[in-house]
Amino acid sequence: MLSVTRHRVVTPNLLQYANESRIDEHFNDVTINVGKQSIAANRMVLSCHSVFFEKMFKCNMKEKYEHNVEIQSVDGNSVKNLIDYIYIGAIEINEDNVMSILEAADYLQMEEAKRFCFEFLESIIKPDNWQVVLKAVALYRDDEIKDQVHHYISTHSDDIIRTTDYKALSYDELKDCVANLDRNSVKETLVY
């Protein structure tokens, strides 16, 4: 007996429909209130892309049953950008918003968005911001990007040791920085 299984791609159409419905205020079953933002959304759509929302709406927490959910401790614009990202699949990350989006993505447990932030940070490392990038990747525990920052420090050591950020490192930060340098690329003056 011959049998054929057909599959169709539903995800792009489904998300487009979900976003249009959200804008038209159809099928929205929750409003996320964060800062001055009130963001209408659908619990299922949020749960598909955020571990935070999935746990919130699946567990017997009060938020599971309430129409309005309050989120504190993160930037409202960043949460709105991330919820828009869930629905439309695009997010603009720049030097002004990367840290707040990274913090919100970490809070909402959106690993793909965090990865985009880390990739952006890696792409903008320069002598005047390497320490900010290093602190961000240490805070959010991304060893791959941390290695890239240390490689950058190693290969640009002449520029780095002249910065006030380098001179302001605490003993522990300096020790960690030196311990992770690429000995083949770094100049002895940086280690000394």
Side-chain angles (χ1 to χ4, degrees):
M1 173 184 226
L2 183 60
S3 172
V4 175
T5 304
R6 286 220 137 162
H7 297 277
R8 63 185 170 96
V9 178
V10 292
T11 305
N13 295 335
L14 181 62
L15 281 178
Q16 180 181 355
Y17 181 74
N19 191 45
E20 290 169 2
S21 296
R22 177 176 72 121
I23 293 167
D24 294 340
E25 298 182 11
H26 295 106
F27 308 117
N28 295 334
D29 59 0
V30 67
T31 300
I32 307 299
N33 298 304
V34 54
K36 295 179 180 180
Q37 298 285 342
S38 290
I39 310 152
N42 179 277
R43 294 175 199 280
M44 184 184 70
V45 174
L46 295 178
S47 297
C48 286
H49 299 276
S50 164
V51 175
F52 173 84
F53 286 124
E54 179 185 25
K55 288 179 181 177
M56 176 186 285
F57 298 139
K58 280 188 174 180
C59 296
N60 282 329
M61 298 174 67
K62 69 177 184 170
E63 290 85 358
K64 178 178 180 178
Y65 306 101
E66 293 184 357
H67 181 69
N68 290 297
V69 173
E70 298 286 330
I71 296 179
Q72 299 176 359
S73 306
V74 289
D75 177 62
N77 289 330
S78 296
V79 172
K80 182 183 181 320
N81 288 337
L82 287 166
I83 290 175
D84 289 344
Y85 168 67
I86 287 172
Y87 278 90
I88 63 174
I91 188 167
E92 181 181 340
I93 299 173
N94 57 49
E95 289 186 54
D96 294 330
N97 70 10
V98 65
M99 296 307 291
S100 61
I101 289 177
L102 178 58
E103 178 183 15
D106 185 63
Y107 186 87
L108 297 176
Q109 295 174 286
M110 296 176 63
E111 294 304 314
E112 185 178 52
K114 281 177 58 176
R115 172 67 30 215
F116 292 156
C117 290
F118 287 133
E119 289 170 2
F120 178 77
L121 286 169
E122 181 181 3
S123 74
I124 62 164
I125 299 172
K126 342 178 240 208
D128 63 343
N129 73 354
W130 64 271
Q131 189 180 20
V132 173
V133 176
L134 186 60
K135 284 185 178 186
V137 296
L139 180 62
Y140 298 107
R141 296 176 213 91
D142 191 291
D143 291 334
E144 181 181 327
I145 305 297
K146 184 178 180 181
D147 292 343
Q148 293 295 326
V149 176
H150 284 184
H151 178 73
Y152 179 86
I153 293 168
S154 298
T155 57
H156 295 85
S157 58
D158 284 344
D159 296 327
I160 298 293
I161 61 173
R162 292 185 181 92
T163 65
T164 56
D165 286 337
Y166 183 78
K167 294 172 185 171
L169 288 175
S170 70
Y171 174 75
D172 288 336
E173 291 171 324
L174 183 60
K175 188 169 86 172
D176 182 53
C177 187
V178 171
N180 288 292
L181 292 174
D182 178 359
R183 301 279 189 240
N184 297 325
S185 321
V186 72
K187 300 202 176 189
E188 289 181 25
T189 54
L190 180 65
V191 177
Y192 179 72

